[in-house]
Amino acid sequence: MGKTIALANQKGGVGKTTTTINLAASLATLEKKVLVVDADPQANASSGLGVDIKDIDCSIYECLINHTDIREAIYTTDIEGLDIIPSHIDLVGAEIEMLNLDNREKIMRKALEPMKEAYDYILIDCSPSLGLITINALTAADSVIIPVQCEYFALEGISKLLNTIKIIKTKLNTALEIEGFLLTMFDSRLRLANQIYDEVKRHFQELVFKTIIQRNVKLSEAPSHGIPAILYDADSTGAKNHLALAKEIITNNTK
C-alpha cells in the first residue's frame, strides 16, 4: 500500500514544487514507484518534469470535475518509475465548480484511491493557498511535508496552516500526520538562516527533517530544462540534498 504525501504551505516561493519534483525523482532513483499529482494551476511541477502542458488531453482537473478515470491522466517522465498527473490552468476555476458537489472535500481522495496499490509514494504538489483543492489534497494525504524557507518571514502563516491541518484531522482525515518540516533555500553563510533553523528546530523539534535543502544554482536551473536536478547535474548540492531527504523519508517510514 503506497503512502500519499502532500507538500503544502500557503506561503508562495518556499520551494514546494522544487521539493516535489526532486524528491519524486530521488525516490524513483532509489527504485520506488512514484506518482506526482500536480494540484497547482500554475502547473510548474508538470513542466518541471518535462510535460508539455499544451499537449495534455487529460489533467487532474478532468479527474476532479468530470470524474474521469485517474489512469487516463497519468503521463510518464524521463525517469523510470516516476509518473505524473499534470495540472492545467482550468484548475483555477475548479474550486467554484466543486462548491455544489457532494463530499467536495473528498473528491481527490476518491480519485486517487485506486493508485495506492500501484505506487510506493504519491506526492501532491499543492498550490500556495488554503483553498478547496489544497483541502482536497490534505484530505487525500496520509501525511504532509511543510517546506519552510530560511528567510525572515519563514514562520509567518505556519500557524494558519497548522490550524487548517488540525481542522482537517478532526473533521475530514483523522489519519493525517505531519511528515516533517523541511528547511529550504538554506545559506549557511547567513546568520539569519542559522537563526531561522534554530527557531524552527526549537518550535517543532523532532518534526524537523535532519536533511536541509541548501540554496543551489543547479536546482534553480534544472526546471527550465524540464528535468529534475538529479538528471541535470547528479553531483550538485541540490541533487544530493534531495537524495538524502528521500533516504530519510524511506527510513522514517520503515521504522
Side-chain angles (χ1 to χ4, degrees), residues 222-249:
S224 64
H225 298 271
I227 51 173
I230 205 157
L231 284 188
Y232 184 61
D233 184 351
D235 287 328
S236 65
T237 305
K240 286 175 179 170
N241 287 166
H242 284 94
L243 203 53
L245 176 64
K247 285 174 182 168
E248 188 175 345
I249 287 170

Side-chain angles (χ1 to χ4, degrees), residues 7-20 22 40 42 44 125-129 144-158 161 180-186 196 200 212-215 219 242 245:
L7 286 95
N9 189 334
Q10 77 274 24
K11 195 171 182 303
V14 296
K16 272 190 302 292
T17 302
T18 302
T19 304
T20 305
N22 291 288
D40 184 350
Q42 293 175 64
N44 291 338
D125 184 28
C126 298
S127 67
S129 77
V144 54
I145 290 174
I146 303 168
V148 181
Q149 189 181 2
C150 291
E151 299 213 339
Y152 185 63
F153 292 115
L155 294 174
E156 202 180 64
I158 282 187
L161 175 62
F181 289 85
L182 176 69
L183 288 150
T184 62
M185 305 180 202
F186 182 79
I196 300 286
V200 172
I212 295 171
I213 308 300
Q214 289 160 281
R215 198 176 276 284
L219 210 50
H242 284 94
L245 176 64

Side-chain angles (χ1 to χ4, degrees), residues 25-211:
S26 299
L27 286 166
T29 304
L30 296 168
E31 298 184 343
K32 298 292 177 189
K33 196 116 180 48
V34 187
L35 176 66
V36 169
V37 179
D38 191 350
D40 184 350
Q42 293 175 64
N44 291 338
S46 306
S47 55
L49 283 172
V51 176
D52 190 340
I53 313 298
K54 298 190 292 295
D55 294 341
I56 289 170
D57 300 319
C58 188
S59 69
I60 189 67
Y61 171 82
E62 281 77 19
C63 300
L64 297 177
I65 303 301
N66 306 332
H67 303 296
T68 303
D69 187 331
I70 201 95
R71 293 171 191 85
E72 290 183 33
I74 294 175
Y75 290 74
T76 55
T77 69
D78 289 341
I79 291 187
E80 195 182 335
L82 173 55
D83 296 335
I84 181 165
I85 295 174
S87 182
H88 194 276
I89 192 67
D90 288 351
L91 204 58
V92 169
E95 302 205 343
I96 295 162
E97 293 178 68
M98 288 163 78
L99 282 177
N100 299 321
L101 299 177
D102 291 337
N103 278 334
R104 58 176 184 248
E105 298 90 354
K106 297 179 179 175
I107 297 169
M108 193 182 292
R109 177 153 83 188
K110 198 173 169 210
L112 289 174
E113 200 59 51
M115 293 296 100
K116 292 200 82 158
E117 295 296 332
Y119 292 93
D120 297 308
Y121 289 96
I122 299 172
L123 302 184
I124 309 174
D125 184 28
C126 298
S127 67
S129 77
L130 289 177
L132 191 50
I133 303 281
T134 299
I135 288 167
N136 258 269
L138 293 171
T139 305
D142 299 306
S143 65
V144 54
I145 290 174
I146 303 168
V148 181
Q149 189 181 2
C150 291
E151 299 213 339
Y152 185 63
F153 292 115
L155 294 174
E156 202 180 64
I158 282 187
S159 58
K160 202 172 172 187
L161 175 62
L162 293 177
N163 199 35
T164 302
I165 290 169
K166 199 166 145 192
I167 293 166
I168 287 169
K169 206 169 154 59
T170 312
K171 297 191 158 78
L172 296 164
N173 181 4
T174 50
L176 184 64
E177 298 292 337
I178 291 175
E179 188 77 27
F181 289 85
L182 176 69
L183 288 150
T184 62
M185 305 180 202
F186 182 79
D187 186 340
S188 57
R189 296 167 304 178
L190 301 176
R191 192 195 309 162
L192 178 65
N194 290 294
Q195 284 171 346
I196 300 286
Y197 174 79
D198 292 340
E199 201 175 331
V200 172
K201 201 82 176 114
R202 195 176 72 246
H203 265 77
F204 304 111
Q205 297 160 1
E206 294 308 306
L207 284 174
V208 182
F209 284 111
K210 291 184 180 71
T211 307

